Every structure is written in structure tokens, then in C-alpha cells.
């Protein structure tokens, strides 16, 4: 047996997002978001579920904070719902929206937990979508204005800020693959959305610095790892394109100030799609940031197959164990992603801002959940985190996804990622075995493997 000790200042945390947990969709002046529209459109979400009530954290945040305190985390990552602050996206600020987050933030600080705020975890005000959403550069101005309001309101209390969560999902999953709100299927639109949101990120970081807001700011991407199935050049190239789409397309502009040229060429030559770069955009996007957030779940093997997806890359099934999302359990891919970040971008501090697994959990009659597979998933990923730190990668913290079972977007409530079980009938929360496992890892500052 070996002992894996983590650095004393390693930030252990857990994460959630506004639309997935808050509910209270029409309360205290909150305006509609694209997720209200999407989830209320029949057939878009499994079981036609929606986030009207979710985990009701808008009213039960005190219970959530008590769970976090008992868990022993140093930090809690949550997102602010833009339509609570600006119900129409711009215009008059809604003080009741800010009050809610003030209550959450003060509660966390009283419990000795650092709040980590994500400004955009997908709930774009519907009023902005009606004017083109992220395809319209006016949305960039609206975002910077919203960010400024939130920065000023919580300056000094929040020390860790994240502009955007997972722009691959915001752009390609939502506007090319049509799986998430607003549900479009247009590649040029998806590329525009990614670009404009990246500009919004850069402008918000710039504003953060100009205002002298205290703390650190970064962005969270969701890299995946496609390993070539063979060393044949066509397989290597196909896997490289697949990784580039998921990874470099978002990391390079932020950390290098340019899109990966091989993919720019690919989009132009094979799809007739161009990146709508305006003068000054790339400098704006590449504002220095303090850390990079990595949300990691899975990886795979890929090989060249004409016509397979955008990049002629087909996934090869090599026998990985799967989660209930049908995602491969491939912990070494986390190490590969972290190694690639260091190799490609140098010593930028990295936080794993999400990692976790979905399984079919059952609540026993005595209100326990024996989620052994999730425990094993965490254990294997902690081993890779430790390995990364040992090899000199500046990994500073880890946020488990998620504190609670919650609204899993197009999958509704049937897919559970929580370390606490949510009973959607009563809205009671029950810590699972994985919660107690994580609690012990945090208390011990590491684990035996
Ligand atoms: O639930 C999501 C989260 O909102 C963003 N990252 C992936 C999670 C699991 O799908």
C-alpha cells in the first residue's frame, strides 16, 4: 500500500451551477434564460424535465452550506445566474438577485469556505438570445457590464473568479450539435459563438484588472483526450484534429493569442467556415489570466474513418468501463491532459474545476447510497492528480462534480452526478458513500492506495 499526500495548500472543493440547482425560476425578479425556453420546449430534455424547482437551492442554500462544511472543503464553486442580476440581460440591475448571492457568499465565508464564482454557466438571458445571443457582438458588451456589476458587488469576498464554463459546450454542443440550448445546428454559428464568447472572456478579464478587483481570475475549459488507436499517420492526424477541436481551439486563443492554424485551415477548406476575427480580438482574448480551469470527465481512442464526424475520426471501443453517461472511465487521460497543458502552455496554475461520474444510484430504506463505482472513479482520478503534482505540474486544486444530484441538462434528473443524493420528491439531500470517502481524503490531506 502506498500513501499519497497532497500539498497542504491544495484546494479541495466541490462544484455546482445555477440553473442545475437553484430552481425558483420565476422568483424575485429573475428573467427567463435560454435554458427555461429550451427545457420547456417539448422533446428537448429527457422526460421534459426543467429547472423550475431543481434542488431548490435558492431556498435551501443553508442546507447546502451545512453539507459543504461537514464535508470539510476549502472552496465551493457555483455560478451566478445572469438573468437574476439583469432579468433582460442589460438595463436595470435586479437587487434581489444580488441579495441572493450575497446570502450564499456570506454563508460560505461564515462557514470558512472560499466562494469560487463562475459568471457564465450557460443560462444566457433569453432577451439577449432574441437579439442573436452570442452571435451578436452586443452580447459581449452586455456580458462585460454584468461581470462588472458582480465583480463590484463581491469584491474582497470572492477571491476566485471564472468567466466562462466550457465554451466547447456553449458553442459546438449547443449551436452545432443542437443538444443544448439554444439547440442550433449551424457550424458557422457555433464558431462565431465560440469566438464572441472568448472575446467576452478577454474583455471581462481586462475590466477586472482595470477595476482593481482583488483575487484571481481564469476560465474553465473541458478538454477531452483522444489517443490515436494506431501509429498510422492517418489515425494520428484524425486524433489530433479531434483533440484540437475539443482542446486547442479554446486553450490556444486564451493562452497563446491565436487559433490552431491547422484547424482554421480545416474549417475553411472542408466546411467553408471562417473565424470572425476583428482587429484587436486576439490580443483581447489573450489577456493574462491567473489560472486555467480544467473540467475533466473522459477520454477515448480514435482512428481515421472517412465521414466519421467533422474530422473523420471514429471512436474505437477498447473495453473501457463506462459510466451511466456512457462515458469511458479513463483516468490516465486526466494525466495526459494535464501534461499536455504544461507542455503546451507552461506553468500556468491549473485547477480541476470539475471531475466526477454519473451512476444509477439507489437510496436504501435507511437513506444511504452505496455508490462504490463513484468512489472508485474518484480514487483513480486522485491518483492521477497526485501523479501530476509529483511530476511538477502546477495543479493547485480539485473540485468534485457535483455536491448534489441536479438537473443534468438534456438528460434531466435521471442522470445523477452528486456526492449527495437529491430526493426530488422531498428535496431532501442524503450524503452518499462517495461524500464520506471524499470527506476522509480531505481530512487526511491524501489517501492510501
Ligand atoms: O453537469 C455538467 C456541468 O454543468 C458541466 N460539466 C459537465 C457536467 C456533467 O455533464
Amino acid at each position: 500500500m502506498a500513501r499519497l499526500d497532497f500539498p497542504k495548500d491544495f484546494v479541495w472543493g466541490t462544484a455546482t451551477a445555477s440553473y442545475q440547482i437553484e430552481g425558483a425560476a420565476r422568483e424575485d425578479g429573475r428573467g427567463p434564460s435560454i435554458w427555461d425556453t429550451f427545457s420547456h420546449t417539448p422533446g428537448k430534455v429527457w422526460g421534459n424535465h426543467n429547472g423550475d424547482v431543481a434542488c431548490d437551492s435558492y431556498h435551501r442554500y443553508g442546507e447546502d452550506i451545512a453539507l459543504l462544511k461537514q464535508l470539510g472543503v476549502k472552496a465551493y464553486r457555483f455560478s451566478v445566474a445572469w438573468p437574476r442580476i439583469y432579468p433582460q440581460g442589460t438595463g436595470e440591475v435586479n437587487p434581489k438577485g444580488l441579495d441572493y448571492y450575497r446570502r450564499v457568499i456570506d454563508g460560505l465565508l461564515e462557514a470558512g469556505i472560499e466562494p469560487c464564482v463562475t459568471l457564465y454557466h450557460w443560462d444566457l438571458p433569453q432577451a439577449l438570445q432574441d437579439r442573436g445571443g452570442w452571435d451578436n457582438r452586443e452580447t459581449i458588451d452586455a456580458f462585460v457590464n454584468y461581470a462588472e456589476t458582480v465583480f463590484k458587488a463581491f469584491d474582497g469576498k470572492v477571491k476566485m473568479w471564472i468567466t466562462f464554463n466550457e465554451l466547447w459546450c456553449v458553442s459546438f454542443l449547443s449551436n452545432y450539435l443542437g443538444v443544448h440550448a439554444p439547440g442550433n445546428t449551424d457550424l458557422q454559428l457555433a464558431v462565431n459563438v465560440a469566438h464572441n464568447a472568448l472575446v467576452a472572456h478577454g474583455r471581462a478579464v481586462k475590466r477586472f484588472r482595470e477595476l482593481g478587483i482583488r483575487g484571481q481570475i481564469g476560465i474553465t475549459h473541458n478538454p477531452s483526450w483522444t489517443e490515436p488507436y494506431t501509429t498510422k499517420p492517418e489515425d494520428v492526424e484524425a486524433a489530433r484534429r479531434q483533440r484540437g477541436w475539443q482542446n486547442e481551439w479554446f486553450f490556444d486563443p486564451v493562452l497563446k493569442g491565436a487559433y490552431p492554424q491547422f484547424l482554421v485551415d480545416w474549417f475553411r477548406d472542408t466546411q467553408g467556415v471562417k473565424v470572425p476575427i476583428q482587429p484587436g480580438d486576439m490580443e483581447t482574448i489573450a489577456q493574462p489570466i491567473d489560472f486555467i480551469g480544467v473540467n475533466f470527465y473522459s477520454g477515448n481512442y480514435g482512428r481515421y474513418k472517412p465521414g466519421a464526424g467533422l474530422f473523420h475520426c471514429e471512436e474505437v471501443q477498447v473495453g473501457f468501463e463506462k459510466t451511466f453517461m456512457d462515458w469511458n472511465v479513463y483516468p490516465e487521460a486526466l494525466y495526459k491532459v494535464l501534461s499536455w497543458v504544461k507542455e503546451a502552455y507552461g506553468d500556468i496554475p491549473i485547477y480541476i474545476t470539475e471531475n466526477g461520474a454519473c451512476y444509477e444510484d439507489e437510496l436504501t430504506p435507511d437513506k444511504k447510497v452505496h455508490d462504490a463505482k463513484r468512489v472508485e472513479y474518484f480514487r483513480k482520478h486522485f491518483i492521477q492528480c497526485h501523479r501530476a503534482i509529483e511530476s511538477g505540474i502546477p495543479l493547485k486544486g480539485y473540485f468534485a462534480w457535483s455536491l448534489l444530484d441536479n438537473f443534468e441538462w438534456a438528460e434531466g434528473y435521471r442522470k445523477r452526478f452528486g456526492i449527495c443524493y437529491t430526493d426530488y420528491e422531498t428535496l431532501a439531500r442524503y450524503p452518499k458513500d462517495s461524500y464520506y470517502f471524499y470527506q476522509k481524503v480531505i481530512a487526511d490531506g491524501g489517501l492510501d492506495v
Side-chain angles (χ1 to χ4, degrees):
M1 194 182 280
R3 172 85 203 151
L4 304 185
D5 285 315
F6 281 72
K8 291 268 172 291
D9 58 353
F10 193 74
V11 178
W12 295 105
T14 179
T16 61
S18 47
Y19 191 72
Q20 295 183 273
I21 66 160
E22 287 177 1
R26 282 172 279 279
E27 235 173 285
D28 288 341
R30 178 187 177 280
S33 80
I34 55 173
W35 269 97
D36 296 287
T37 309
F38 192 75
S39 63
H40 282 270
T41 307
K44 296 292 184 191
V45 172
W46 188 88
N48 290 323
H49 293 170
N50 60 61
D52 287 4
V53 177
C55 306
D56 194 31
S57 289
Y58 192 76
H59 301 109
R60 292 169 198 250
Y61 64 90
E63 284 176 52
D64 298 346
I65 293 172
L67 284 167
L68 289 162
K69 189 169 179 187
Q70 199 194 330
L71 180 60
V73 284
K74 281 191 197 158
Y76 174 52
R77 173 177 179 240
F78 61 96
S79 74
V80 171
W82 183 350
R84 284 198 195 283
I85 310 302
Y86 286 101
Q88 299 306 312
T90 54
E92 287 291 298
V93 70
N94 172 32
K96 288 190 174 164
L98 285 173
D99 288 347
Y100 167 62
Y101 295 107
R102 192 167 294 115
R103 292 195 291 277
V104 172
I105 289 168
D106 289 346
L108 288 169
L109 293 173
E110 270 164 39
I113 300 163
E114 287 291 340
C116 165
V117 167
T118 305
L119 289 167
Y120 188 84
H121 199 126
W122 308 352
D123 35 9
L124 182 72
Q126 182 60 42
L128 296 179
Q129 185 61 41
D130 294 342
R131 300 203 290 277
W134 286 111
D135 194 29
N136 179 349
R137 285 183 71 113
E138 283 176 18
T139 299
I140 302 173
D141 301 325
F143 178 76
V144 178
N145 176 58
Y146 151 66
E148 176 166 343
T149 301
V150 182
F151 289 152
K152 284 180 177 162
F154 304 121
D155 180 27
K157 291 187 174 184
V158 173
K159 305 278 171 49
M160 190 173 175
W161 297 88
I162 294 171
T163 53
F164 282 85
N165 183 71
E166 300 183 356
L167 285 182
W168 183 87
C169 296
V170 172
S171 53
F172 295 111
L173 188 64
S174 306
N175 288 286
Y176 169 59
L177 298 171
V179 176
H180 280 186
N184 297 313
T185 50
D186 177 337
L187 186 60
Q188 179 65 66
L189 174 64
V191 167
N192 297 351
V193 163
H195 182 72
N196 291 343
L198 283 167
V199 174
H201 154 78
R203 283 206 28 216
V205 173
K206 204 160 166 244
R207 201 71 200 107
F208 181 87
R209 307 281 187 221
E210 285 161 1
L211 292 166
I213 303 295
R214 289 158 281 181
Q216 302 203 317
I217 190 162
I219 185 169
T220 279
H221 294 322
N222 57 317
S224 176
W225 193 260
T226 300
E227 189 71 21
Y229 185 55
T230 73
T231 52
K232 285 190 223 154
E234 62 266 35
D235 287 349
V236 171
E237 280 305 304
R240 176 166 177 253
R241 288 192 295 269
Q242 191 69 29
R243 285 200 309 273
W245 184 45
Q246 186 98 36
N247 305 351
E248 279 98 326
W249 194 260
F250 299 94
F251 280 75
D252 276 15
V254 171
L255 297 172
K256 288 187 171 168
Y259 285 96
Q261 192 57 45
F262 75 98
L263 270 190
V264 172
D265 296 346
W266 178 272
F267 276 134
R268 187 198 54 226
D269 299 345
T270 70
Q271 310 293 326
V273 161
K274 291 206 180 100
V275 194
I277 302 173
Q278 293 193 7
D281 280 359
M282 298 318 292
E283 292 75 17
T284 300
I285 296 171
Q287 293 300 304
I289 51 175
D290 301 306
F291 65 88
I292 189 89
V294 165
N295 289 356
F296 177 84
Y297 289 90
S298 186
N300 56 27
Y301 278 80
R303 75 175 153 215
Y304 176 68
K305 184 179 176 201
L310 262 184
F311 301 104
H312 307 310
C313 184
E314 143 186 274
E315 180 175 350
V316 186
Q317 298 301 334
V318 295
F320 283 121
E321 185 197 323
K322 306 260 183 185
T323 68
F324 189 42
M325 293 296 275
D326 209 27
W327 295 349
N328 298 325
V329 179
Y330 184 8
E332 293 77 16
L334 172 58
Y335 181 77
K336 289 178 194 240
V337 162
L338 296 174
S339 304
W340 161 72
V341 172
K342 181 176 159 78
E343 202 181 298
Y345 310 106
D347 277 329
I348 176 128
I350 307 170
Y351 288 87
I352 294 174
T353 40
E354 287 180 25
N355 175 240
C358 167
Y359 288 107
E360 280 181 289
D361 297 316
E362 261 178 49
L363 192 63
T364 63
D366 58 345
K367 311 295 185 200
K368 307 266 190 271
V369 178
H370 301 305
D371 57 337
K373 286 186 185 161
R374 187 174 290 104
V375 168
E376 201 40 29
Y377 181 97
F378 280 129
R379 206 180 64 81
K380 287 179 176 159
H381 287 79
F382 293 160
I383 292 172
Q384 298 303 321
C385 290
H386 189 269
R387 185 179 163 207
I389 296 169
E390 287 288 289
S391 66
I393 293 168
L395 177 62
K396 302 296 181 191
Y398 175 98
F399 292 76
W401 184 268
S402 175
L403 174 65
L404 305 170
D405 295 333
N406 56 45
F407 177 76
E408 179 50 31
W409 307 112
E411 299 289 348
Y413 296 102
R414 75 166 166 156
K415 299 277 166 102
R416 295 175 179 270
F417 275 88
I419 56 173
C420 293
Y421 183 94
T422 305
D423 179 337
Y424 292 111
E425 296 292 314
T426 63
L427 296 169
R429 289 94 157 103
Y430 299 104
K432 303 178 190 175
D433 287 356
S434 55
Y435 173 97
Y436 295 111
F437 168 74
Y438 191 33
Q439 183 185 52
K440 182 160 164 42
V441 170
I442 296 170
D444 295 351
L447 64 162
D448 292 319
V449 292

